[in-house]
mmCIF file of all heavy atoms in Angstrom:
data_model
loop_
_atom_site.group_PDB
_atom_site.id
_atom_site.type_symbol
_atom_site.label_atom_id
_atom_site.label_comp_id
_atom_site.label_asym_id
_atom_site.label_seq_id
_atom_site.Cartn_x
_atom_site.Cartn_y
_atom_site.Cartn_z
ATOM 1 N N LYS A 15 3.847 23.771 -12.259
ATOM 2 C CA LYS A 15 3.732 23.336 -13.709
ATOM 3 C C LYS A 15 2.745 22.277 -13.900
ATOM 4 O O LYS A 15 2.603 21.804 -15.061
ATOM 5 C CB LYS A 15 5.181 22.794 -14.102
ATOM 6 C CG LYS A 15 6.265 23.808 -14.279
ATOM 7 C CD LYS A 15 7.388 23.122 -14.797
ATOM 8 C CE LYS A 15 8.630 23.972 -14.945
ATOM 9 N NZ LYS A 15 9.742 23.092 -15.573
ATOM 10 N N CYS A 16 2.099 21.664 -12.901
ATOM 11 C CA CYS A 16 1.260 20.576 -13.069
ATOM 12 C C CYS A 16 -0.117 21.025 -13.809
ATOM 13 O O CYS A 16 -0.751 22.001 -13.305
ATOM 14 C CB CYS A 16 0.772 19.958 -11.760
ATOM 15 S SG CYS A 16 -0.272 18.583 -11.923
ATOM 16 N N ILE A 17 -0.431 20.442 -14.835
ATOM 17 C CA ILE A 17 -1.598 20.796 -15.652
ATOM 18 C C ILE A 17 -2.715 19.954 -15.245
ATOM 19 O O ILE A 17 -3.787 19.971 -15.828
ATOM 20 C CB ILE A 17 -1.332 20.762 -17.157
ATOM 21 C CG1 ILE A 17 -0.921 19.429 -17.602
ATOM 22 C CG2 ILE A 17 -0.306 21.803 -17.595
ATOM 23 C CD1 ILE A 17 -0.920 19.293 -18.999
ATOM 24 N N GLY A 18 -2.589 19.075 -14.362
ATOM 25 C CA GLY A 18 -3.608 18.192 -13.924
ATOM 26 C C GLY A 18 -4.152 17.190 -15.017
ATOM 27 O O GLY A 18 -5.330 16.871 -15.097
ATOM 28 N N CYS A 19 -3.223 16.657 -15.735
ATOM 29 C CA CYS A 19 -3.714 15.864 -16.944
ATOM 30 C C CYS A 19 -3.826 14.328 -16.440
ATOM 31 O O CYS A 19 -4.394 13.604 -17.201
ATOM 32 C CB CYS A 19 -2.599 15.877 -18.013
ATOM 33 S SG CYS A 19 -1.005 15.297 -17.598
ATOM 34 N N HIS A 20 -3.340 14.049 -15.357
ATOM 35 C CA HIS A 20 -3.447 12.640 -14.824
ATOM 36 C C HIS A 20 -2.639 11.605 -15.647
ATOM 37 O O HIS A 20 -2.840 10.435 -15.417
ATOM 38 C CB HIS A 20 -4.887 12.199 -14.755
ATOM 39 C CG HIS A 20 -5.723 13.039 -13.870
ATOM 40 N ND1 HIS A 20 -5.877 12.837 -12.469
ATOM 41 C CD2 HIS A 20 -6.401 14.117 -14.049
ATOM 42 C CE1 HIS A 20 -6.696 13.692 -11.846
ATOM 43 N NE2 HIS A 20 -6.993 14.528 -12.872
ATOM 44 N N THR A 21 -1.702 12.059 -16.392
ATOM 45 C CA THR A 21 -0.958 11.109 -17.187
ATOM 46 C C THR A 21 -0.114 10.215 -16.176
ATOM 47 O O THR A 21 -0.107 8.988 -16.377
ATOM 48 C CB THR A 21 -0.026 11.789 -18.181
ATOM 49 O OG1 THR A 21 -0.832 12.754 -18.995
ATOM 50 C CG2 THR A 21 0.752 10.850 -18.994
ATOM 51 N N CYS A 22 0.448 10.845 -15.215
ATOM 52 C CA CYS A 22 1.228 10.094 -14.231
ATOM 53 C C CYS A 22 0.396 8.998 -13.611
ATOM 54 O O CYS A 22 0.845 7.880 -13.453
ATOM 55 C CB CYS A 22 1.683 11.014 -13.197
ATOM 56 S SG CYS A 22 0.559 12.180 -12.591
ATOM 57 N N VAL A 44 -3.779 12.433 -8.558
ATOM 58 C CA VAL A 44 -3.673 13.965 -8.660
ATOM 59 C C VAL A 44 -4.864 14.423 -8.146
ATOM 60 O O VAL A 44 -6.032 14.165 -8.682
ATOM 61 C CB VAL A 44 -3.506 14.312 -10.129
ATOM 62 C CG1 VAL A 44 -3.228 15.833 -10.250
ATOM 63 C CG2 VAL A 44 -2.256 13.595 -10.731
ATOM 64 N N PRO A 183 -0.322 16.325 -7.159
ATOM 65 C CA PRO A 183 0.007 14.905 -7.503
ATOM 66 C C PRO A 183 0.748 14.338 -6.247
ATOM 67 O O PRO A 183 1.497 14.888 -5.655
ATOM 68 C CB PRO A 183 0.991 14.981 -8.636
ATOM 69 C CG PRO A 183 1.104 16.312 -9.085
ATOM 70 C CD PRO A 183 0.733 17.153 -7.984
ATOM 71 N N THR A 264 6.799 9.945 -17.437
ATOM 72 C CA THR A 264 5.711 10.342 -18.390
ATOM 73 C C THR A 264 5.173 11.628 -18.000
ATOM 74 O O THR A 264 4.148 12.062 -18.731
ATOM 75 C CB THR A 264 4.680 9.167 -18.339
ATOM 76 O OG1 THR A 264 4.180 9.146 -16.961
ATOM 77 C CG2 THR A 264 5.213 7.984 -18.743
ATOM 78 N N CYS A 265 5.650 12.317 -17.002
ATOM 79 C CA CYS A 265 5.039 13.617 -16.614
ATOM 80 C C CYS A 265 5.035 14.591 -17.825
ATOM 81 O O CYS A 265 5.979 14.924 -18.246
ATOM 82 C CB CYS A 265 5.711 14.193 -15.470
ATOM 83 S SG CYS A 265 4.986 15.736 -14.935
ATOM 84 N N VAL A 266 3.870 15.099 -18.175
ATOM 85 C CA VAL A 266 3.675 15.973 -19.220
ATOM 86 C C VAL A 266 4.318 17.418 -18.962
ATOM 87 O O VAL A 266 4.946 17.946 -19.727
ATOM 88 C CB VAL A 266 2.196 16.222 -19.586
ATOM 89 C CG1 VAL A 266 1.923 17.241 -20.555
ATOM 90 C CG2 VAL A 266 1.675 14.879 -20.040
ATOM 91 N N GLY A 267 4.111 17.755 -17.653
ATOM 92 C CA GLY A 267 4.707 19.123 -17.289
ATOM 93 C C GLY A 267 6.123 19.124 -16.927
ATOM 94 O O GLY A 267 6.771 20.117 -16.713
ATOM 95 N N LEU A 269 7.636 18.150 -14.354
ATOM 96 C CA LEU A 269 7.724 18.829 -13.016
ATOM 97 C C LEU A 269 8.310 18.070 -11.992
ATOM 98 O O LEU A 269 8.531 18.596 -10.832
ATOM 99 C CB LEU A 269 6.337 19.484 -12.735
ATOM 100 C CG LEU A 269 5.264 18.433 -12.528
ATOM 101 C CD1 LEU A 269 5.275 17.863 -11.140
ATOM 102 C CD2 LEU A 269 3.856 19.091 -12.848
ATOM 103 N N ARG A 270 8.678 16.794 -12.308
ATOM 104 C CA ARG A 270 9.214 15.984 -11.260
ATOM 105 C C ARG A 270 10.703 15.986 -11.194
ATOM 106 O O ARG A 270 11.266 15.856 -12.310
ATOM 107 C CB ARG A 270 8.602 14.629 -11.319
ATOM 108 C CG ARG A 270 7.158 14.523 -11.226
ATOM 109 C CD ARG A 270 6.615 13.257 -10.992
ATOM 110 N NE ARG A 270 5.170 13.354 -10.952
ATOM 111 C CZ ARG A 270 4.303 12.606 -10.138
ATOM 112 N NH1 ARG A 270 4.959 11.750 -9.335
ATOM 113 N NH2 ARG A 270 3.053 12.652 -10.213
HETATM 114 S S1 SF4 C 603 1.728 13.944 -15.546
HETATM 115 FE FE1 SF4 C 603 2.752 15.622 -14.688
HETATM 116 S S2 SF4 C 603 1.404 17.492 -15.427
HETATM 117 FE FE2 SF4 C 603 0.158 15.630 -15.708
HETATM 118 S S3 SF4 C 603 -1.055 15.418 -13.754
HETATM 119 FE FE3 SF4 C 603 0.825 14.126 -13.513
HETATM 120 S S4 SF4 C 603 2.268 15.495 -12.383
HETATM 121 FE FE4 SF4 C 603 0.628 16.886 -13.332
#
Side-chain angles (χ1 to χ4, degrees):
Chain A
K15 291 194 185 177
C16 182
I17 59 170
C19 64
H20 300 273
T21 305
C22 44
V44 184
T264 59
C265 176
V266 172
L269 55 89
R270 299 194 184 216

